[in-house]
Amino acid sequence: MKATITKFSIALLLIISLQLQAQVTHRDLLQKFFQNYEGSPGSLNPVPQNQFHPFPQSPEGWKKILPDSISTMFIKKGEAALKKDFKNIPAAVMLEFVRNGNRTDYEKLSFEKRNQLWDLMMAESVEGKGRFVDQIVNGIWSISEESFWGISAHVGAQKAGAGLPDVEDPIVDLFAAETASVMAWTDYFVGPQLEKASKLIRPRIKYEITRRILTPMETAKYGWMGGGKPDAKLNNWAPWIASNYLAAFLLIEKNDNKRAEDMNRTIKIVDQYLNGLGVDGGCDEGPSYWGAAGGCVYDVLNLLHDANSKLNYYHVPFIQKMGSYIYKTHIAGKYFINVADAHPTLTPNGLMLYRFGKDMDDKQMMVFGSWAFHAFPEENTNYEQFHRTRGLYNLSAINDCASYPAKEDDVKDAWYSDVQLMASRSNNGLFLSAHGGNNGESHNHNDVGDFTVYANGLPVIIDVGSGTYTARTFGKDRYKLWFNTSPYHNLPVINGKEEGAGGVFAANDVIYDQNKNITTLSMNIAKAYPADAGIKTWIRTFKMDKAKGIEVSDKYEVANLTSLTQSFMSVCEINLDTPGKITFTLPDNSKVYLDYDASIWTASKEKMELTSPEDQGLKHSWEGKPIWRILLTRKKLGNVGVIRYLVHK
């Protein structure tokens, strides 16, 4: 079945739930730094292009900061890249997105080319013998001759809509900006070698970056930057693109006035993103998106500081709140709290977290970063794909981080009032997260009132997360995908009604309380459901008793309750043989139990058959484990009642 792609659905992709104007607070933190600066305004402009030298530009310079093992790794990657050709991207592959919703074929070709160029460039930069130069030139030329530097799923932002790119209407999406950064860093690191090959290569790089990125940004009013509306709430696209845009013009643009204008534009974009965050700096897209959101804000701050040492924002309290979010939402190992499209696991970038903590003087974040650095060494050499500027900054921190104390010392309780997210740990290894919020958040799932439970760092009751991105993911059929809907979260279906999509479907009367032994979060989720569900009130309360376990209770009043089910999602082995008790067997053979009232519920389970293109990503998220839906069906119905579920070891 062919997917129907409209300009509207593409716009959704670019600005999913972008505008929630009531949540925007005009902090304008970076701009106020300028306004309050006591020196002359011009002294805050970036240094001239020929004075911007954040990283070594010779093998001798790299030897001073890089361990030999890292230099060897770069050279081996370069040697592997020498054996591959730079592949053309056929028009038919671009058209797959509008024909059948497939975006991965295009992305595979596009991303591999950029990875290959990066590997060649870094190898030549650390070795300096010239043997990678010709293939670097091939890569530059191949990428320069592409009609579009972004991806097929995003080209619909052009005036002509989705399909093939209009070369007369270049647009700046995530990956066009990423490509500009790759090309600019290539010019920075191996520019003299390129000039020896041909005097036309470096001008071509500058020409392509200017026409595709720098010039469009002078007048751009893209959805990801608010569409010209200063009260628009922005998602992770804003800091992600801004970080690459900033790198590109700092490296390529020689005109001092334009450099100042571009930096001012970048600062305004990042400020508008920060204005859309709540008072606690939480990320409504979840921890796995934080690296492309708050993490990209940090990338911007790094570049600004190197462009002008007076631009030091690291100790702004709000920036520190935004930074600490990532370690406060850690569960164990690679597991982090996942909401919306966030994945349940991520490999934390220890070097970046260590640097961020050091810049903010946050010792706990430094320790967490050092722990991640030692726990996941594969990430320390993963300088491919995205956020390559971040990878460059990480290189200078390897030696310091390697010798810093490391400990997985997670916070016991966390509360983010802005995204209404709580987390709490018991004394015997249980972990609870729960959240309210609304169903119009960025990368939204209809999941107001959802919760997860882990035991000994392993998942018990889960948020399934998102699958493989296709056209349906961000189009009119988004909420036809089962994993985006409330019946497949740990939520009730009331009178046959599931939660609605949109910002009006929200939690109300949200109350958080925490003392030494008891942590509670309560909310009324009645308005997360459509009016015809007949719900007068539905108070859902989560309680972590650190000595006894977890209680989830629902106190409700419904005008006419005719049916009620409650779902629990899990990747554990499930046993329902004992009425009133669900037994979860974890991979380490330990057991966790959920007690329910067998006199009012019938329990059943179903295995989720992962057959659609979108489902395939879930296999990766949960390492091939079967995903189960446990369904409690209410036998005795009353219009008023209290339901309790107890989770314990």
Side-chain angles (χ1 to χ4, degrees):
M1 178 176 160
K2 293 183 179 180
T4 301
I5 310 298
T6 65
K7 289 184 180 180
F8 175 71
S9 66
I10 294 297
L12 278 179
L13 183 146
L14 296 177
I15 54 170
I16 280 186
S17 305
L18 196 86
Q19 270 73 296
L20 290 176
Q21 296 187 11
Q23 296 183 11
V24 172
T25 302
H26 286 279
R27 303 179 184 92
D28 296 332
L29 295 173
L30 309 191
Q31 293 170 77
K32 285 180 179 176
F33 183 96
F34 273 70
Q35 295 167 5
N36 297 330
Y37 183 67
E38 295 179 356
S40 64
S43 66
L44 291 179
N45 289 338
V47 297
Q49 186 257 0
N50 61 5
Q51 296 178 26
F52 183 65
H53 300 296
F55 305 112
Q57 291 178 284
S58 68
E60 294 73 27
W62 282 121
K63 286 178 182 177
K64 293 178 181 178
I65 68 169
L66 286 186
D68 290 343
S69 60
I70 299 299
S71 296
T72 300
M73 178 270 296
F74 280 133
I75 292 170
K76 286 183 176 179
K77 285 190 173 185
E79 290 171 340
L82 275 175
K83 300 174 183 178
K84 298 184 291 185
D85 293 328
F86 284 92
K87 297 178 181 179
N88 180 43
I89 305 179
V93 175
M94 168 70 82
L95 287 169
E96 285 182 1
F97 185 71
V98 294
R99 290 174 173 172
N100 57 33
N102 183 296
R103 56 187 276 175
T104 56
D105 290 345
Y106 183 96
E107 290 172 10
K108 185 174 186 295
L109 287 170
S110 177
F111 296 164
E112 282 184 354
K113 289 174 73 171
R114 283 128 181 93
N115 290 340
Q116 186 179 352
L117 176 60
W118 190 261
D119 287 344
L120 292 162
M121 178 274 292
M122 288 303 301
E124 182 60 36
S125 182
V126 300
E127 184 184 81
K129 295 180 180 179
R131 62 184 176 125
F132 300 98
V133 172
D134 280 353
Q135 191 69 337
I136 292 171
V137 173
N138 288 337
I140 292 168
W141 225 247
S142 177
I143 292 171
S144 294
E145 293 181 354
E146 291 177 355
S147 295
F148 180 45
W149 276 0
I151 61 171
S152 58
H154 300 163
V155 75
Q158 67 185 7
K159 296 181 181 68
L164 292 176
D166 180 355
V167 295
E168 295 183 1
D169 181 23
I171 61 165
V172 182
D173 81 329
L174 288 175
F175 303 108
E178 283 268 3
T179 304
S181 177
V182 170
M183 297 282 271
W185 284 118
T186 301
D187 179 89
Y188 173 84
F189 284 115
V190 297
Q193 295 95 312
L194 298 178
E195 286 186 343
K196 290 179 182 178
S198 171
K199 296 292 185 183
L200 297 177
I201 299 170
R202 300 185 77 182
R204 179 73 185 274
I205 291 173
K206 186 177 190 301
Y207 169 76
E208 296 295 347
I209 292 174
T210 300
R211 79 174 182 90
R212 296 172 189 262
I213 307 297
L214 304 190
T215 298
M217 285 296 292
E218 291 177 0
T219 57
K221 293 184 179 180
Y222 297 119
W224 61 261
M225 55 195 295
K229 300 177 181 178
D231 289 327
K233 184 179 185 294
L234 308 185
N235 67 8
N236 69 79
W237 276 51
W240 188 347
I241 291 176
S243 64
N244 286 294
Y245 169 57
L246 178 58
F249 75 72
L250 286 174
L251 293 164
I252 291 296
E253 180 58 67
K254 295 182 179 180
N255 183 288
D256 288 343
N257 290 333
K258 285 190 175 183
R259 289 170 70 78
E261 290 171 3
D262 290 344
M263 188 171 76
N264 186 56
R265 187 176 296 112
T266 302
I267 285 172
K268 287 182 178 179
I269 292 169
V270 176
D271 262 344
Q272 188 165 347
Y273 169 75
L274 294 173
N275 290 346
L277 299 183
V279 294
D280 294 322
C283 180
D284 66 3
E285 297 167 294
S288 71
Y289 274 89
W290 179 90
C296 283
V297 172
Y298 180 55
D299 296 338
V300 169
L301 301 186
N302 289 162
L303 286 164
L304 288 174
H305 185 59
D306 272 338
N308 188 323
S309 61
K310 299 182 181 72
L311 300 176
N312 187 330
Y313 302 97
Y314 302 125
H315 294 285
V316 174
F318 187 81
I319 296 296
Q320 295 180 324
K321 289 181 181 180
M322 181 199 71
S324 65
Y325 169 89
I326 189 61
Y327 68 79
K328 290 181 179 178
T329 53
H330 181 241
I331 300 172
K334 291 187 179 183
Y335 288 114
F336 285 75
I337 297 171
N338 67 306
V339 297
D341 271 351
H343 296 288
T345 62
L346 66 94
T347 304
N349 189 321
L351 288 169
M352 186 267 275
L353 298 176
Y354 171 81
R355 290 190 298 109
F356 204 167
K358 185 176 182 180
D359 284 334
M360 295 191 303
D361 197 26
D362 183 334
K363 297 294 193 296
Q364 186 166 3
M365 192 168 187
M366 293 175 70
V367 168
F368 182 73
S370 182
W371 163 77
F373 171 83
H374 290 91
F376 309 112
E378 70 274 16
E379 186 67 13
N380 304 327
T381 56
N382 182 17
Y383 301 113
E384 291 187 356
Q385 201 78 336
F386 310 128
H387 315 303
R388 294 177 180 85
T389 301
R390 180 182 304 168
L392 293 171
Y393 278 103
N394 285 347
L395 295 175
S396 62
I398 292 174
N399 292 325
D400 283 350
C401 187
S403 60
Y404 198 79
K407 188 178 181 183
E408 190 178 11
D409 184 21
D410 294 304
V411 298
K412 303 302 181 186
D413 289 275
W415 168 240
Y416 281 87
S417 62
D418 46 9
V419 291
Q420 298 177 355
L421 172 69
M422 66 88 76
S424 185
R425 298 174 192 274
S426 73
N427 297 331
N428 67 343
L430 286 179
F431 176 91
L432 168 69
S433 72
H435 66 92
N438 66 77
N439 286 334
E441 295 168 337
S442 186
H443 286 265
N444 178 70
H445 289 195
N446 293 334
D447 59 359
V448 172
D450 191 26
F451 70 100
T452 65
V453 174
Y454 283 65
N456 304 327
L458 298 171
V460 180
I461 299 173
I462 65 169
D463 184 312
V464 172
S466 66
T468 301
Y469 282 176
T470 70
R472 295 178 70 201
T473 310
F474 297 106
K476 60 183 178 60
D477 293 331
R478 178 172 178 84
Y479 296 105
K480 292 181 181 178
L481 298 172
W482 62 271
F483 47 77
N484 290 340
T485 65
S486 65
Y488 296 93
H489 286 76
N490 306 302
L491 289 162
V493 173
I494 304 162
N495 283 336
K497 302 296 181 181
E498 62 186 74
E499 290 188 353
V504 297
F505 297 97
N508 292 282
D509 305 321
V510 178
I511 301 172
Y512 173 80
D513 183 67
Q514 192 272 323
N515 59 41
K516 185 176 181 180
N517 296 311
I518 304 291
T519 302
T520 60
L521 173 65
S522 69
M523 64 192 74
N524 187 350
I525 64 172
K527 290 186 178 179
Y529 292 79
D532 59 0
I535 308 169
K536 294 183 178 180
T537 184
W538 197 285
I539 307 297
R540 172 158 277 203
T541 301
F542 306 94
K543 181 172 75 171
M544 169 64 86
D545 184 319
K546 294 184 182 296
K548 297 179 181 179
I550 298 164
E551 178 182 288
V552 179
S553 65
D554 290 328
K555 182 179 181 181
Y556 68 88
E557 181 178 357
V558 179
N560 182 25
L561 188 62
T562 58
S563 67
L564 177 63
T565 60
Q566 168 67 46
S567 297
F568 300 105
M569 307 301 296
S570 185
V571 287
C572 290
E573 235 180 80
I574 306 298
N575 187 296
L576 303 177
D577 292 346
T578 303
K581 188 177 296 291
I582 302 169
T583 301
F584 302 87
T585 301
L586 281 67
D588 63 359
N589 291 319
S590 64
K591 298 184 188 303
V592 174
Y593 305 95
L594 186 151
D595 298 340
Y596 64 93
D597 187 345
S599 69
I600 61 173
W601 294 107
T602 299
S604 62
K605 66 179 181 179
E606 62 174 326
K607 182 181 177 182
M608 304 308 301
E609 300 298 334
L610 306 179
T611 57
S612 74
E614 293 82 9
D615 291 343
Q616 302 316 300
L618 298 175
K619 297 177 182 178
H620 174 74
S621 292
W622 297 105
E623 299 176 318
K625 297 183 182 74
I627 299 175
W628 295 94
R629 183 193 190 203
I630 304 163
L631 193 67
L632 299 184
T633 302
R634 188 75 182 248
K635 296 185 292 187
K636 296 181 179 180
L637 299 172
N639 294 337
V640 178
V642 178
I643 306 165
R644 290 187 175 85
Y645 313 101
L646 302 176
V647 183
H648 59 93
K649 287 188 169 184

mmCIF file of all heavy atoms in Angstrom, residues 269-302:
data_model
loop_
_atom_site.group_PDB
_atom_site.id
_atom_site.type_symbol
_atom_site.label_atom_id
_atom_site.label_comp_id
_atom_site.label_asym_id
_atom_site.label_seq_id
_atom_site.Cartn_x
_atom_site.Cartn_y
_atom_site.Cartn_z
ATOM 1 N N ILE A 269 18.309 31.542 17.777
ATOM 2 C CA ILE A 269 17.683 30.240 17.587
ATOM 3 C C ILE A 269 17.795 29.402 18.857
ATOM 4 O O ILE A 269 16.822 28.803 19.321
ATOM 5 C CB ILE A 269 18.323 29.495 16.398
ATOM 6 C CG1 ILE A 269 17.995 30.199 15.081
ATOM 7 C CG2 ILE A 269 17.848 28.039 16.342
ATOM 8 C CD1 ILE A 269 18.804 29.697 13.898
ATOM 9 N N VAL A 270 18.988 29.366 19.425
ATOM 10 C CA VAL A 270 19.200 28.567 20.626
ATOM 11 C C VAL A 270 18.411 29.140 21.792
ATOM 12 O O VAL A 270 17.823 28.399 22.591
ATOM 13 C CB VAL A 270 20.697 28.457 20.959
ATOM 14 C CG1 VAL A 270 20.905 27.714 22.274
ATOM 15 C CG2 VAL A 270 21.433 27.739 19.837
ATOM 16 N N ASP A 271 18.366 30.444 21.897
ATOM 17 C CA ASP A 271 17.557 31.066 22.951
ATOM 18 C C ASP A 271 16.090 30.671 22.823
ATOM 19 O O ASP A 271 15.423 30.389 23.824
ATOM 20 C CB ASP A 271 17.677 32.596 22.879
ATOM 21 C CG ASP A 271 18.702 33.137 23.863
ATOM 22 O OD1 ASP A 271 19.094 32.399 24.783
ATOM 23 O OD2 ASP A 271 19.106 34.303 23.716
ATOM 24 N N GLN A 272 15.580 30.668 21.594
ATOM 25 C CA GLN A 272 14.168 30.317 21.420
ATOM 26 C C GLN A 272 13.927 28.860 21.815
ATOM 27 O O GLN A 272 12.888 28.537 22.385
ATOM 28 C CB GLN A 272 13.701 30.569 19.988
ATOM 29 C CG GLN A 272 12.191 30.408 19.818
ATOM 30 C CD GLN A 272 11.681 30.994 18.522
ATOM 31 O OE1 GLN A 272 12.377 31.727 17.824
ATOM 32 N NE2 GLN A 272 10.443 30.664 18.182
ATOM 33 N N TYR A 273 14.892 27.997 21.532
ATOM 34 C CA TYR A 273 14.753 26.613 21.993
ATOM 35 C C TYR A 273 14.727 26.570 23.522
ATOM 36 O O TYR A 273 13.862 25.912 24.127
ATOM 37 C CB TYR A 273 15.898 25.745 21.467
ATOM 38 C CG TYR A 273 15.921 24.391 22.133
ATOM 39 C CD1 TYR A 273 14.992 23.416 21.793
ATOM 40 C CD2 TYR A 273 16.842 24.111 23.152
ATOM 41 C CE1 TYR A 273 14.983 22.186 22.440
ATOM 42 C CE2 TYR A 273 16.833 22.883 23.796
ATOM 43 C CZ TYR A 273 15.906 21.922 23.437
ATOM 44 O OH TYR A 273 15.887 20.716 24.084
ATOM 45 N N LEU A 274 15.663 27.249 24.151
ATOM 46 C CA LEU A 274 15.718 27.252 25.613
ATOM 47 C C LEU A 274 14.476 27.877 26.215
ATOM 48 O O LEU A 274 14.006 27.450 27.278
ATOM 49 C CB LEU A 274 16.968 27.996 26.081
ATOM 50 C CG LEU A 274 18.317 27.346 25.743
ATOM 51 C CD1 LEU A 274 19.461 28.283 26.117
ATOM 52 C CD2 LEU A 274 18.474 26.010 26.442
ATOM 53 N N ASN A 275 13.909 28.872 25.545
ATOM 54 C CA ASN A 275 12.686 29.503 26.032
ATOM 55 C C ASN A 275 11.526 28.514 26.101
ATOM 56 O O ASN A 275 10.604 28.669 26.900
ATOM 57 C CB ASN A 275 12.292 30.669 25.124
ATOM 58 C CG ASN A 275 13.232 31.851 25.239
ATOM 59 O OD1 ASN A 275 14.036 31.934 26.168
ATOM 60 N ND2 ASN A 275 13.151 32.771 24.299
ATOM 61 N N GLY A 276 11.559 27.501 25.249
ATOM 62 C CA GLY A 276 10.487 26.513 25.218
ATOM 63 C C GLY A 276 10.628 25.409 26.247
ATOM 64 O O GLY A 276 9.711 24.618 26.431
ATOM 65 N N LEU A 277 11.783 25.349 26.918
ATOM 66 C CA LEU A 277 11.947 24.368 27.984
ATOM 67 C C LEU A 277 11.290 24.875 29.258
ATOM 68 O O LEU A 277 11.171 26.079 29.478
ATOM 69 C CB LEU A 277 13.433 24.102 28.242
ATOM 70 C CG LEU A 277 14.249 23.531 27.082
ATOM 71 C CD1 LEU A 277 15.685 23.260 27.539
ATOM 72 C CD2 LEU A 277 13.623 22.267 26.522
ATOM 73 N N GLY A 278 10.879 23.941 30.107
ATOM 74 C CA GLY A 278 10.271 24.326 31.364
ATOM 75 C C GLY A 278 11.292 24.777 32.389
ATOM 76 O O GLY A 278 12.503 24.788 32.138
ATOM 77 N N VAL A 279 10.813 25.100 33.567
ATOM 78 C CA VAL A 279 11.661 25.711 34.590
ATOM 79 C C VAL A 279 12.786 24.792 35.047
ATOM 80 O O VAL A 279 13.819 25.259 35.525
ATOM 81 C CB VAL A 279 10.816 26.143 35.810
ATOM 82 C CG1 VAL A 279 9.870 27.263 35.432
ATOM 83 C CG2 VAL A 279 10.047 24.954 36.397
ATOM 84 N N ASP A 280 12.595 23.470 34.885
ATOM 85 C CA ASP A 280 13.606 22.530 35.352
ATOM 86 C C ASP A 280 14.549 22.077 34.246
ATOM 87 O O ASP A 280 15.430 21.245 34.489
ATOM 88 C CB ASP A 280 12.934 21.304 35.972
ATOM 89 C CG ASP A 280 12.170 21.656 37.243
ATOM 90 O OD1 ASP A 280 12.674 22.492 38.004
ATOM 91 O OD2 ASP A 280 11.081 21.110 37.467
ATOM 92 N N GLY A 281 14.365 22.585 33.033
ATOM 93 C CA GLY A 281 15.257 22.221 31.931
ATOM 94 C C GLY A 281 15.070 20.812 31.427
ATOM 95 O O GLY A 281 15.964 20.249 30.789
ATOM 96 N N GLY A 282 13.893 20.206 31.697
ATOM 97 C CA GLY A 282 13.632 18.847 31.250
ATOM 98 C C GLY A 282 13.440 18.760 29.748
ATOM 99 O O GLY A 282 13.125 19.742 29.081
ATOM 100 N N CYS A 283 13.640 17.556 29.214
ATOM 101 C CA CYS A 283 13.520 17.301 27.776
ATOM 102 C C CYS A 283 12.269 16.463 27.541
ATOM 103 O O CYS A 283 12.243 15.280 27.903
ATOM 104 C CB CYS A 283 14.762 16.580 27.258
ATOM 105 S SG CYS A 283 14.737 16.200 25.501
ATOM 106 N N ASP A 284 11.224 17.057 26.944
ATOM 107 C CA ASP A 284 9.984 16.297 26.772
ATOM 108 C C ASP A 284 10.110 15.202 25.721
ATOM 109 O O ASP A 284 9.222 14.365 25.581
ATOM 110 C CB ASP A 284 8.805 17.222 26.462
ATOM 111 C CG ASP A 284 8.906 17.934 25.117
ATOM 112 O OD1 ASP A 284 9.876 17.686 24.375
ATOM 113 O OD2 ASP A 284 8.013 18.752 24.809
ATOM 114 N N GLU A 285 11.222 15.186 24.995
ATOM 115 C CA GLU A 285 11.455 14.145 23.999
ATOM 116 C C GLU A 285 12.184 12.939 24.586
ATOM 117 O O GLU A 285 12.400 11.944 23.897
ATOM 118 C CB GLU A 285 12.264 14.721 22.837
ATOM 119 C CG GLU A 285 11.508 15.835 22.110
ATOM 120 C CD GLU A 285 12.398 16.634 21.168
ATOM 121 O OE1 GLU A 285 13.312 17.316 21.643
ATOM 122 O OE2 GLU A 285 12.165 16.551 19.952
ATOM 123 N N GLY A 286 12.575 13.020 25.848
ATOM 124 C CA GLY A 286 13.192 11.888 26.505
ATOM 125 C C GLY A 286 14.703 11.880 26.414
ATOM 126 O O GLY A 286 15.304 12.572 25.589
ATOM 127 N N PRO A 287 15.359 11.071 27.258
ATOM 128 C CA PRO A 287 16.819 11.052 27.320
ATOM 129 C C PRO A 287 17.510 10.698 26.012
ATOM 130 O O PRO A 287 18.578 11.227 25.716
ATOM 131 C CB PRO A 287 17.101 9.992 28.394
ATOM 132 C CG PRO A 287 15.902 10.023 29.269
ATOM 133 C CD PRO A 287 14.752 10.277 28.349
ATOM 134 N N SER A 288 16.938 9.794 25.210
ATOM 135 C CA SER A 288 17.643 9.422 23.984
ATOM 136 C C SER A 288 17.625 10.545 22.961
ATOM 137 O O SER A 288 18.395 10.512 21.993
ATOM 138 C CB SER A 288 17.068 8.137 23.379
ATOM 139 O OG SER A 288 15.795 8.328 22.829
ATOM 140 N N TYR A 289 16.772 11.547 23.174
ATOM 141 C CA TYR A 289 16.799 12.738 22.330
ATOM 142 C C TYR A 289 17.589 13.874 22.969
ATOM 143 O O TYR A 289 17.855 14.879 22.307
ATOM 144 C CB TYR A 289 15.366 13.217 22.028
ATOM 145 C CG TYR A 289 14.757 12.517 20.843
ATOM 146 C CD1 TYR A 289 14.047 11.340 21.002
ATOM 147 C CD2 TYR A 289 14.916 13.011 19.556
ATOM 148 C CE1 TYR A 289 13.510 10.676 19.920
ATOM 149 C CE2 TYR A 289 14.385 12.366 18.463
ATOM 150 C CZ TYR A 289 13.687 11.194 18.654
ATOM 151 O OH TYR A 289 13.157 10.540 17.567
ATOM 152 N N TRP A 290 17.961 13.727 24.230
ATOM 153 C CA TRP A 290 18.697 14.793 24.904
ATOM 154 C C TRP A 290 20.015 15.081 24.194
ATOM 155 O O TRP A 290 20.435 16.225 24.090
ATOM 156 C CB TRP A 290 18.951 14.417 26.363
ATOM 157 C CG TRP A 290 19.734 15.442 27.131
ATOM 158 C CD1 TRP A 290 19.241 16.497 27.841
ATOM 159 C CD2 TRP A 290 21.163 15.512 27.266
ATOM 160 N NE1 TRP A 290 20.261 17.221 28.410
ATOM 161 C CE2 TRP A 290 21.456 16.629 28.073
ATOM 162 C CE3 TRP A 290 22.217 14.739 26.788
ATOM 163 C CZ2 TRP A 290 22.758 16.995 28.410
ATOM 164 C CZ3 TRP A 290 23.520 15.095 27.127
ATOM 165 C CH2 TRP A 290 23.771 16.215 27.925
ATOM 166 N N GLY A 291 20.692 14.050 23.711
ATOM 167 C CA GLY A 291 21.961 14.262 23.018
ATOM 168 C C GLY A 291 21.823 15.140 21.795
ATOM 169 O O GLY A 291 22.769 15.829 21.402
ATOM 170 N N ALA A 292 20.633 15.111 21.167
ATOM 171 C CA ALA A 292 20.366 15.949 20.006
ATOM 172 C C ALA A 292 19.632 17.228 20.392
ATOM 173 O O ALA A 292 19.252 18.011 19.517
ATOM 174 C CB ALA A 292 19.532 15.177 18.980
ATOM 175 N N ALA A 293 19.444 17.444 21.663
ATOM 176 C CA ALA A 293 18.719 18.621 22.155
ATOM 177 C C ALA A 293 19.617 19.390 23.125
ATOM 178 O O ALA A 293 20.410 20.237 22.720
ATOM 179 C CB ALA A 293 17.413 18.167 22.818
ATOM 180 N N GLY A 294 19.540 19.060 24.417
ATOM 181 C CA GLY A 294 20.427 19.710 25.382
ATOM 182 C C GLY A 294 21.888 19.496 25.056
ATOM 183 O O GLY A 294 22.725 20.390 25.237
ATOM 184 N N GLY A 295 22.227 18.299 24.555
ATOM 185 C CA GLY A 295 23.608 18.032 24.167
ATOM 186 C C GLY A 295 24.077 18.944 23.057
ATOM 187 O O GLY A 295 25.245 19.375 23.035
ATOM 188 N N CYS A 296 23.176 19.265 22.119
ATOM 189 C CA CYS A 296 23.546 20.176 21.023
ATOM 190 C C CYS A 296 23.649 21.620 21.498
ATOM 191 O O CYS A 296 24.405 22.405 20.923
ATOM 192 C CB CYS A 296 22.544 20.055 19.877
ATOM 193 S SG CYS A 296 22.787 18.564 18.884
ATOM 194 N N VAL A 297 22.871 21.990 22.516
ATOM 195 C CA VAL A 297 23.068 23.312 23.121
ATOM 196 C C VAL A 297 24.496 23.406 23.648
ATOM 197 O O VAL A 297 25.181 24.420 23.451
ATOM 198 C CB VAL A 297 22.051 23.563 24.254
ATOM 199 C CG1 VAL A 297 22.388 24.858 24.999
ATOM 200 C CG2 VAL A 297 20.632 23.636 23.706
ATOM 201 N N TYR A 298 24.945 22.344 24.279
ATOM 202 C CA TYR A 298 26.328 22.322 24.783
ATOM 203 C C TYR A 298 27.331 22.433 23.636
ATOM 204 O O TYR A 298 28.342 23.140 23.744
ATOM 205 C CB TYR A 298 26.553 21.050 25.592
ATOM 206 C CG TYR A 298 27.950 20.912 26.153
ATOM 207 C CD1 TYR A 298 28.507 21.911 26.947
ATOM 208 C CD2 TYR A 298 28.704 19.776 25.901
ATOM 209 C CE1 TYR A 298 29.790 21.783 27.468
ATOM 210 C CE2 TYR A 298 29.984 19.631 26.421
ATOM 211 C CZ TYR A 298 30.526 20.640 27.201
ATOM 212 O OH TYR A 298 31.790 20.514 27.710
ATOM 213 N N ASP A 299 27.067 21.761 22.519
ATOM 214 C CA ASP A 299 27.947 21.891 21.350
ATOM 215 C C ASP A 299 28.042 23.344 20.900
ATOM 216 O O ASP A 299 29.124 23.838 20.551
ATOM 217 C CB ASP A 299 27.426 21.042 20.189
ATOM 218 C CG ASP A 299 27.437 19.548 20.487
ATOM 219 O OD1 ASP A 299 28.203 19.127 21.371
ATOM 220 O OD2 ASP A 299 26.677 18.815 19.828
ATOM 221 N N VAL A 300 26.908 24.032 20.899
ATOM 222 C CA VAL A 300 26.891 25.445 20.527
ATOM 223 C C VAL A 300 27.734 26.265 21.501
ATOM 224 O O VAL A 300 28.526 27.127 21.095
ATOM 225 C CB VAL A 300 25.443 25.978 20.478
ATOM 226 C CG1 VAL A 300 25.421 27.501 20.370
ATOM 227 C CG2 VAL A 300 24.683 25.365 19.295
ATOM 228 N N LEU A 301 27.576 25.995 22.792
ATOM 229 C CA LEU A 301 28.329 26.747 23.800
ATOM 230 C C LEU A 301 29.827 26.527 23.645
ATOM 231 O O LEU A 301 30.623 27.455 23.840
ATOM 232 C CB LEU A 301 27.867 26.356 25.199
ATOM 233 C CG LEU A 301 26.389 26.581 25.531
ATOM 234 C CD1 LEU A 301 26.126 26.284 27.003
ATOM 235 C CD2 LEU A 301 25.930 27.978 25.172
ATOM 236 N N ASN A 302 30.230 25.301 23.302
ATOM 237 C CA ASN A 302 31.655 25.023 23.066
ATOM 238 C C ASN A 302 32.190 25.882 21.933
ATOM 239 O O ASN A 302 33.252 26.510 22.048
ATOM 240 C CB ASN A 302 31.854 23.548 22.695
ATOM 241 C CG ASN A 302 31.633 22.579 23.844
ATOM 242 O OD1 ASN A 302 31.445 21.391 23.623
ATOM 243 N ND2 ASN A 302 31.657 23.060 25.061
#
